[in-house]
Amino acid sequence: MATPHISAEPGDFAETVLMPGDPLRAKVIADHYLEDVKTVTDTRNMLGFTGRYGDTPVSVMGSGMGIPSMSIYAFELYTQYNVEKIIRVGTCGGISPTVKVRDIIVAMGASTDSSVNRTRLAGDDFAAIADYGLLEATVNAARKAGIAPQVGNVFSSELFYNPRANFFDTLKAHGILAVEMEAAGLYGVAAETGKRAVSVLTVSDHVVSGTSTSADERQNSFHEMMQVALEAAANAH
Ligand SMILES: O=P(O)(O)O[C@H]1O[C@H](CO)[C@@H](O)[C@H]1O
Ligand SMILES: O=c1cc[nH]c(=O)[nH]1
């Protein structure tokens, strides 16, 4: 029962799927943390794996970049593969002065310039929010690991290279912690399908202060976030 974008069979995915934008980060997570791993999909090289994290079955699959790509994969996972929970494990650009490179952010809400959620609500505003139980499990997992996560509002941007004048100043003035490109879409799909989602993000660069990390680090070195997400997957009810 493959979908147009996922070549897996029914039952191939666990109830919880971790989703980084980068399919190679999905492979890093599977290689480092899962046992009895099998590759369940590789259509378009959007790699997906299922294995065990301790006693907990967990899948991990790339979402691609941007709300349209994430929305396709999340919708198919929720509606065709009985996936109940998606934990996005992404990178983001810090905006708030309270946020530093390598900090972990849990996106309680996600503002956006995308129209996808307004389309769902026929033009009305939609508060794109995380599932509370997953948010709590994620924050608890971080604190248990000695990490103080920043919890708040992020901005899911349609454009990585945004030409809007004073874009980051406006977001900063509204208490937005960081910018990324998928959370508001994921939360909209979860709401539409009656499923659950949260986004855990590592600050890969700071768009105001200009500090950054390399592409290699973005792919391989965000292990704190990966462990927090896996512990949340194991402990969320
Ligand atoms: O590292 P990922 O999860 O891809 O997330 C961020 O990185 C990409 C842009 O470089 C966008 O997808 C953005 O949301
Ligand atoms: O979307 C993103 C991700 C990381 N850093 C950014 O500036 N934007």
Side-chain angles (χ1 to χ4, degrees), residues 4-90:
H5 312 99
I6 301 176
S7 50
E9 294 301 319
D12 275 351
F13 280 96
E15 183 184 297
T16 305
V17 182
L18 268 56
M19 295 194 84
D22 181 356
L24 295 180
R25 197 181 313 137
K27 183 163 167 40
V28 169
I29 296 170
D31 288 347
H32 274 80
Y33 297 107
L34 301 187
E35 293 176 89
D36 302 331
V37 179
K38 80 171 182 179
T39 304
V40 293
T41 183
D42 60 2
T43 303
R44 293 178 178 238
N45 274 341
M46 195 56 75
L47 304 171
F49 309 90
T50 295
R52 266 186 312 103
Y53 177 70
D55 294 335
T56 310
V58 172
S59 297
V60 53
M61 179 178 171
S63 69
M65 288 187 279
I67 286 175
S69 183
M70 166 62 92
S71 300
I72 288 171
Y73 293 115
F75 189 87
E76 292 183 0
L77 289 171
Y78 283 142
T79 62
Q80 305 298 314
Y81 291 98
N82 292 324
V83 169
E84 292 295 325
K85 299 174 226 158
I86 293 179
I87 303 178
R88 164 161 158 70
V89 281

Side-chain angles (χ1 to χ4, degrees), residues 106-193:
V106 183
M108 182 161 67
S111 305
T112 188
D113 51 359
S114 159
S115 63
V116 291
N117 292 326
R118 283 175 186 253
T119 299
R120 288 192 173 91
L121 267 68
D124 291 339
D125 266 1
F126 171 75
I129 55 170
D131 173 81
Y132 182 73
L134 281 182
L135 179 91
E136 192 175 38
T138 308
V139 171
N140 286 343
R143 290 196 175 138
K144 206 166 160 193
I147 298 160
Q150 303 237 16
V151 182
N153 202 355
V154 302
F155 191 91
S156 304
S157 181
E158 295 241 79
L159 294 171
F160 183 88
Y161 299 104
N162 200 313
R164 228 164 80 190
N166 306 320
F167 178 55
F168 295 126
D169 292 338
T170 308
L171 300 186
K172 190 168 118 184
H174 286 78
I176 304 274
L177 298 175
V179 61
E180 54 89 66
M181 300 178 70
E182 292 83 17
L186 171 61
Y187 293 172
V189 177
E192 181 185 358
T193 56

Side-chain angles (χ1 to χ4, degrees), residues 91-93 160 179-181 204-205 207 218:
T91 60
C92 63
F160 183 88
V179 61
E180 54 89 66
M181 300 178 70
S204 58
D205 52 281
V207 296
R218 287 172 205 216

